[in-house]
Amino acid sequence: MVGIDVSDPMLDLANRRCAGLDQVKLENADARRLPIDNEILDFACGLQVYCYIKELDEALDDLHRCLKPGGRAVILDTDFSGVVWESGNRERMHKIMRAFDEHAAWPDLPRILPSRLKKAGFDLLRCEAIPFVTLAYHPNTFVYGLARLIHQFVKNTGFAVEEADAWLNEFDDLEKQGAFFYATNRFMFVATRA
């Protein structure tokens, strides 16, 4: 098993979690140029990866190169325009989420992925929506960390700090009122190399 990431902190975490598993090899590598021989993989999985790769077709071509004929690929990604997030200020929510779109090369990747997979030589076997819904907002939730990531990102892009802070601070109030709501779909694509 080969695990690949461009983030050293993520690789460090994976190395700690895989300590003692001699069959696991982890590498810092780019998904556009996988350090894998041609037609060697039976299975490949990309989780929240391809939305960040501007050269999407190049990355999918390289994934195709690495898979054996009949090999399968599973790609899981999010269409960020489909986020449903409660806010008393929907205009501000819309502005924040549109600003956050800049964090990814393809914030709407699931919409275009089927045609891009076909272009790269894959047969799409299945596409499923995997819903994620939460009514809770506290440090042990996914959405708590996501909110902080978005907050930091939009502040660094020149978004008004006061407006970004007000956006983030609203969620604690919604949680206290029992009114917090967050939902999105992730999309899982299963494809095979023809």
Side-chain angles (χ1 to χ4, degrees):
M1 177 181 285
V2 179
I4 294 168
D5 205 308
V6 293
S7 166
D8 287 329
M10 291 302 289
L11 287 167
D12 290 343
L13 176 63
N15 272 312
R16 287 193 302 274
R17 289 187 175 171
C18 295
L21 300 174
D22 296 336
Q23 70 274 28
V24 176
K25 178 181 174 186
L26 300 167
E27 291 190 40
N28 186 316
D30 189 313
R32 296 172 300 159
R33 289 176 292 286
L34 297 168
I36 297 169
D37 292 335
N38 294 347
E39 299 185 5
I40 198 167
L41 297 179
D42 294 307
F43 178 77
C45 184
L47 306 176
Q48 290 294 145
V49 172
Y50 291 97
C51 69
Y52 296 107
I53 302 172
K54 185 177 179 182
E55 302 84 359
L56 177 61
D57 294 330
E58 186 179 334
L60 293 174
D61 286 344
D62 204 53
L63 176 63
H64 186 271
R65 174 192 64 79
C66 296
L67 284 169
K68 294 177 182 177
R72 290 190 180 212
V74 172
I75 297 173
L76 181 81
D77 229 305
T78 305
D79 184 332
F80 290 97
S81 69
V83 169
V84 180
W85 206 334
E86 174 55 17
S87 174
N89 187 331
R90 292 185 183 205
E91 181 180 331
R92 181 180 64 208
M93 176 64 78
H94 181 75
K95 284 171 53 179
I96 293 275
M97 294 309 293
R98 293 301 64 84
F100 186 60
D101 276 349
E102 297 301 317
H103 89 285
W106 305 96
D108 58 354
L109 179 68
R111 299 175 193 206
I112 64 167
L113 193 55
S115 64
R116 298 299 182 93
L117 285 166
K118 184 175 182 177
K119 180 180 174 188
F122 288 95
D123 290 330
L124 185 59
L125 302 177
R126 193 167 85 228
C127 176
E128 293 180 22
I130 301 172
F132 177 83
V133 179
T134 185
L135 305 177
Y137 181 78
H138 54 76
N140 290 336
T141 61
F142 164 78
V143 71
Y144 187 90
L146 177 63
R148 276 146 183 74
L149 175 75
I150 293 171
H151 177 252
Q152 191 62 45
F153 180 85
V154 299
K155 285 194 323 182
N156 290 338
T157 62
F159 204 88
V161 172
E162 300 80 19
E163 194 169 16
D165 289 349
W167 174 83
L168 182 65
N169 293 334
E170 180 184 16
F171 302 133
D172 287 322
D173 294 335
L174 289 170
E175 170 71 14
K176 288 174 189 167
Q177 298 165 24
F180 185 81
F181 182 90
Y182 173 89
T184 192
N185 283 316
R186 291 180 140 184
F187 296 89
M188 181 181 70
F189 297 86
V190 180
T192 187
R193 177 181 170 159

